[in-house]
Amino acid sequence: MTTTEQATGTASGIGSSPRRPDGIGKVRGEFAYSSDLWHEDMLWGATLRSPHPHARITAVDIAEALAVPGVYAVLTHEDVPGVNRYGLEHPDQPVLAENVVRYQGEPVALVAADHPETARRAMKRIKVAYDVLEPVTDAEEAVAEERNVVRHVPIRRGDPEARAEIVVTGSYEVGMQDQAFLGPESGLAVPAEDGGIDLYVATQWLHVDQRQIVAALGLPEEKVRLTLGGVGGAFGGREDLSMQVHACLLALHTGKPVKMVYNREESFYGHVHRHPATLHYEHGADADGKLVYVKARIYLDGGAYASSTPAVVANAATLGVGPYDVPNVSIDCWGAYTNNPPCGAMRGFGAVQAAFAYESQMDRLAEACGLDPVEIRVRNAMSEGSVMPTGQVVDSPAPVAELLERLAAKPLPPEPEGERDLRTLPGGVSNTTHGEGVVRGVGYAVGIKNICFSEGFDDYSTARVRLEVVGGEAAATVQTAACEVGQGLVTVLQQIVRTELGVEQVTILPMDTSIGNAGSTSASRQTYVTGGAVRAACLAVRKALFSRVEHASADLDLVGGKLVSTRDGVLADLADVLGDAVLDETVEWRHRPTETLDPESGAGNAHVQYGFAAHRAVVDVDVELGLVKVVALDCAQDVGKALNPQAVLGQIQGGSAQGLGLAVMEEIQVRDGKVRNPSFTDYLIPTVLDMPPMSIDVLERADPNAPYGLRGVGEPPTISSTPAIVAAIRAATGRALTRVPVRPEHITGV
């Protein structure tokens, strides 16, 4: 990692890696997650879900369920007091199904009982009559009917009829990946004396949850109050509502607190997933390997409801050629309604699907041009000043070539000699091989990701910073509604305050809706936007503080709890300057504006910032059994400024692990609209034994438009890790491998 100057007045400001305030509790199992919430005299909620992906509801009989002792309520769509619709961007999803169910697992009825098992038994006694309908399950076929199109984004740049000497084509598929967070959907709804509701919940976006709940309950906003519960991972899967409205309905109906916790199977049905995709690409280049044009048709399966599909479509389209200079571009991307499970936000958000296709194409193009896979990428790599297919100029560092060259210069892991430890071989201790039939391969990939919200969205965050004397020392308190979902935001916000105000004691208040919106914890945006808001609030506090100094001048600073002057040295203790005063500032902070895309050409300055990461993967493949062992997965990523170097490494490692999962094991298998593997027994995720050592280079090429020059970190490593691993498997096997995850039969051909 490059060295980071510590420009801070405390030992744990930006550029350092202080201990996470929630770390010890989580390691010891003492941290309270939302599933641990408890209230005296609370009830338990349960959800009846459709067994069919598409059917008409002809009758619902709740009499037997209501007769079960201990049952307090059984609710259907008729009991929704407000609008029976919700949705992130389009309110198209019923709170409880009315006449039709559109995916397997759609909520139909709710039960509240005095014990969770009682609620489940009563739920099974609800009788629903269905008239089963034929499901629509193929996104590409669905797009043929205009009514099934969620959104179509065309991108046109340059000459649509451009020709090239060397042309490669390919069709690719990406399976449905799950966020696989370990903390299931959960929350506690408590009815209030004012007729409103207090909801404690694991979520990614408190205010958008509130907006949707208010509409469904028919209550004014001030009577629906949300507080963030402990979140056990998110990765996009908590942006959409799950049990939020259901728990509130049951609590208001019974007048008692109601807790809901999904089991693992229900969690697979209860949240959105990564969009499966089919992608058709054509790349044209000259004899030197320079790209002349890229053409693509991309189909994303959005499932039964819109969720965030419109934004995912835009990302896949605008980032569809990758981090390369391409003068002529023609891309069409569609998001389709089907009767498959709803799909929405997941780490990488459209860029993951596109990257697997365009990076596979770059490897094909390298072979056709007789070039090394790194060389062809370097020859076409964008840089600062490059123009995106949308016409947007990349106006901050884009060290794509440097990322690749750093990886290529790293030493490869040594070739194995002699008898090998089974744990280092494909198949591991299952003893499927001792090295015979095992072939090594190396692959490279690089990716691009937009940071923050795009396309003219009013993307902002609200932060309140309070400075006062507590126990004889200056102390700061921070309040935002930005959700901590495990990424370490609470630590970074403390670091920012320590840097700007020079105080060590910084308290982060619980996140809730009593303060203004902070936006979603997604799009790699919270450190940028909420960090920017906290920094701005700190600067407002500093200004108010300095105005109290008799001879205030521009050379004043706050360092280590003291007011200092670059000219005169230490002037006073901060606590003495404050006295009994309480400085309290609230700021609503926005990044620079973006533009909507032109509906005909896709032109526009749609994105705030771009992030770049590259991977080199080394794999051992048992070509006889089709088993893969990832031996090394090295990464180089530009982060602009590493506010917390240790957390940056954690994000890169975690994102790479999810990319590895998509490459070789993770897929929700859906047949005829039905999920076949809703459990961690059959849906496999990487463990510590699957993750290889990682050599990581962190570049800090500051973005002049961002707070501290930072660049969003969390998503880029997920984008380039998958195609790098698949490229390595191709190199080992000689197989085309056009689908992820790669299965054994794809390698063996049988």
Side-chain angles (χ1 to χ4, degrees):
M1 175 177 288
T2 57
T3 57
T4 304
E5 287 190 8
Q6 187 172 309
T8 172
T10 73
S12 51
I14 62 169
S16 65
S17 298
R19 178 178 290 173
R20 291 178 57 137
D22 56 349
I24 292 175
K26 287 179 175 178
V27 170
R28 290 179 175 172
E30 298 169 352
F31 182 84
Y33 291 95
S34 60
S35 55
D36 298 315
L37 292 168
W38 195 267
H39 199 288
E40 186 178 353
D41 198 29
M42 74 180 185
L43 303 176
W44 294 80
T47 309
L48 179 69
R49 298 177 180 274
S50 166
H52 308 292
H54 196 201
R56 289 191 184 91
I57 298 173
T58 57
V60 179
D61 185 350
I62 64 173
E64 284 191 29
L66 280 170
V68 174
V71 169
Y72 281 72
V74 180
L75 307 182
T76 68
H77 72 90
E78 295 178 347
D79 299 297
V80 178
V83 179
N84 188 31
R85 289 290 184 276
Y86 70 91
L88 269 179
E89 298 190 33
H90 302 291
D92 62 347
Q93 188 162 356
V95 174
L96 293 169
E98 297 178 23
N99 304 315
V100 178
V101 291
R102 295 178 175 85
Y103 71 96
Q104 182 196 27
E106 181 154 8
V108 176
L110 305 172
V111 176
D114 58 8
H115 190 277
E117 187 56 38
T118 302
R120 284 190 286 269
R121 284 191 293 106
M123 181 186 70
K124 293 177 181 178
R125 297 194 180 191
I126 301 172
K127 296 178 180 178
V128 183
Y130 294 100
D131 179 9
V132 178
L133 304 171
E134 187 72 21
V136 175
T137 59
D138 186 287
E140 193 166 351
E141 292 179 3
V143 165
E145 293 190 41
E146 189 173 337
R147 65 188 178 90
N148 290 331
V149 175
V150 181
R151 187 182 184 188
H152 168 223
V153 173
I155 304 292
R156 302 288 185 269
R157 183 181 180 218
D159 180 5
E161 305 300 325
R163 298 289 183 265
E165 296 174 66
I166 299 173
V167 176
V168 295
T169 61
S171 293
Y172 305 92
E173 292 183 35
V174 176
M176 183 185 290
Q177 188 180 18
D178 189 67
Q179 295 84 354
F181 40 70
L182 298 186
E185 289 81 354
S186 52
L188 175 68
V190 182
E193 292 182 358
D194 65 355
I197 195 85
D198 291 289
L199 177 65
Y200 304 86
V201 65
T203 183
Q204 288 181 243
W205 196 345
L206 289 163
H207 283 82
V208 159
D209 281 10
Q210 181 190 45
R211 183 195 73 199
Q212 296 171 88
I213 295 168
V214 161
L217 299 183
L219 290 174
E221 186 176 287
E222 63 271 14
K223 288 195 175 184
V224 177
R225 299 166 289 268
L226 274 69
T227 300
L228 185 69
V231 182
F235 314 112
R238 299 188 199 270
E239 269 204 329
D240 295 75
L241 294 184
S242 56
M243 45 60 62
Q244 287 93 322
V245 178
H246 297 162
C248 292
L249 284 172
L250 290 170
L252 289 172
H253 191 85
T254 61
K256 290 178 173 289
V258 172
K259 179 176 180 176
M260 297 188 78
V261 181
Y262 289 178
N263 62 29
R264 183 55 57 187
E265 179 176 339
E266 187 172 19
S267 181
F268 272 94
Y269 293 115
H271 66 255
V272 297
H273 314 289
R274 187 185 302 286
H275 291 72
T278 303
L279 311 97
H280 307 287
Y281 268 77
E282 180 179 313
H283 280 56
D286 63 22
D288 294 325
K290 286 286 289 181
L291 286 166
V292 175
Y293 70 83
V294 172
K295 297 179 181 179
R297 290 177 292 114
I298 302 171
Y299 300 89
L300 300 174
D301 185 346
Y305 297 104
S307 182
S308 56
T309 293
V312 175
V313 168
N315 273 10
T318 59
L319 307 175
V321 304
Y324 303 113
D325 284 324
V326 187
N328 305 293
V329 177
S330 179
I331 292 178
D332 287 279
C333 185
W334 292 271
Y337 286 116
T338 66
N339 293 115
N340 293 322
C343 291
M346 186 176 173
R347 194 177 199 165
F349 203 82
V352 165
Q353 295 90 327
F356 173 62
Y358 66 64
E359 286 299 89
S360 298
Q361 284 286 101
M362 292 301 286
D363 282 338
R364 287 190 175 188
L365 196 61
E367 183 177 2
C369 295
L371 293 172
D372 177 86
V374 172
E375 177 60 27
I376 198 163
R377 288 172 168 84
V378 169
R379 290 189 184 187
N380 291 285
M382 66 166 46
S383 58
E384 186 171 2
S386 290
V387 180
M388 295 291 292
T390 59
Q392 183 169 6
V393 176
V394 179
D395 60 355
S396 65
V400 177
E402 182 181 359
L403 296 176
L404 290 160
E405 289 164 347
R406 280 174 171 260
L407 289 175
K410 287 180 178 290
L412 288 164
E415 291 285 347
E417 296 180 2
E419 187 174 350
R420 297 179 63 179
D421 187 329
L422 289 176
R423 290 171 295 181
T424 69
L425 287 164
V429 294
S430 60
N431 200 24
T432 58
T433 181
H434 286 247
E436 63 277 10
V438 174
V439 181
R440 178 157 290 187
V442 179
Y444 291 84
V446 63
I448 181 174
K449 177 65 175 64
N450 64 308
I451 308 298
C452 297
F453 294 151
S454 303
E455 292 193 85
F457 189 93
D458 186 16
D459 191 6
Y460 68 92
S461 184
T462 312
R464 179 187 180 194
V465 173
R466 178 185 175 100
L467 183 65
E468 60 189 318
V469 176
V470 178
E473 294 185 12
T477 304
V478 179
Q479 183 183 13
T480 78
C483 295
E484 167 63 63
V485 299
Q487 81 279 32
L489 178 68
V490 291
T491 315
V492 169
L493 297 186
Q494 287 180 322
Q495 291 178 256
I496 290 171
V497 176
R498 288 169 183 151
T499 297
E500 300 299 339
L501 298 184
V503 297
E504 189 63 31
Q505 186 177 333
V506 181
T507 301
I508 308 296
L509 294 179
M511 289 78 172
D512 60 30
T513 52
S514 67
I515 190 171
N517 200 339
S520 174
T521 298
S522 60
S524 304
R525 63 178 289 281
Q526 283 294 9
T527 299
Y528 192 126
V529 183
T530 296
V534 169
R535 180 172 182 262
C538 286
L539 294 178
V541 168
R542 283 169 62 104
K543 183 177 180 180
L545 178 70
F546 291 167
S547 69
R548 299 172 60 84
V549 180
E550 186 174 348
H551 301 293
S553 64
D555 68 351
L556 291 179
D557 202 356
L558 299 171
V559 180
K562 298 183 183 299
L563 184 71
V564 301
S565 164
T566 56
R567 184 181 59 215
D568 302 319
V570 176
L571 299 180
D573 285 339
L574 181 54
D576 293 336
V577 177
L578 273 171
D580 294 332
V582 176
L583 304 181
D584 196 325
E585 298 287 345
T586 300
V587 172
E588 193 173 88
W589 190 86
R590 288 169 169 80
H591 55 61
R592 57 181 178 167
T594 57
E595 300 172 356
T596 56
L597 294 171
D598 182 274
E600 302 297 325
S601 67
N605 294 328
H607 300 308
V608 178
Q609 184 191 63
Y610 297 99
F612 306 93
H615 280 83
R616 182 184 69 187
V618 181
V619 302
D620 282 347
V621 183
D622 185 331
V623 295
E624 297 171 354
L625 295 179
L627 302 178
V628 177
K629 174 70 175 180
V630 182
V631 176
L633 187 58
D634 301 326
C635 181
Q637 182 170 338
D638 174 28
V639 305
K641 169 73 175 178
L643 270 61
N644 185 313
Q646 190 173 27
V648 165
L649 292 176
Q651 286 292 316
I652 293 172
Q653 291 164 342
S656 300
Q658 286 189 305
L660 183 152
L662 179 60
V664 295
M665 65 183 75
E666 290 191 48
E667 182 178 9
I668 297 178
Q669 297 182 25
V670 182
R671 298 290 182 273
D672 300 321
K674 293 190 174 182
V675 176
R676 300 178 64 191
N677 59 332
S679 74
F680 282 168
T681 301
D682 299 309
Y683 181 92
L684 304 180
I685 58 176
T687 69
V688 68
L689 293 178
D690 297 298
M691 275 302 292
M694 291 189 69
S695 172
I696 300 174
D697 281 7
V698 175
L699 279 65
E700 295 182 281
R701 308 290 185 261
D703 179 348
N705 303 296
Y708 305 112
L710 67 87
R711 202 180 301 275
V713 174
E715 293 175 286
T718 308
I719 295 163
S720 49
S721 48
T722 297
I725 292 168
V726 177
I729 301 172
R730 285 195 199 103
T733 63
R735 294 280 184 177
L737 302 179
T738 58
R739 189 185 191 281
V740 287
V742 176
R743 299 175 183 165
E745 61 266 30
H746 299 157
I747 294 170
T748 63
V750 294

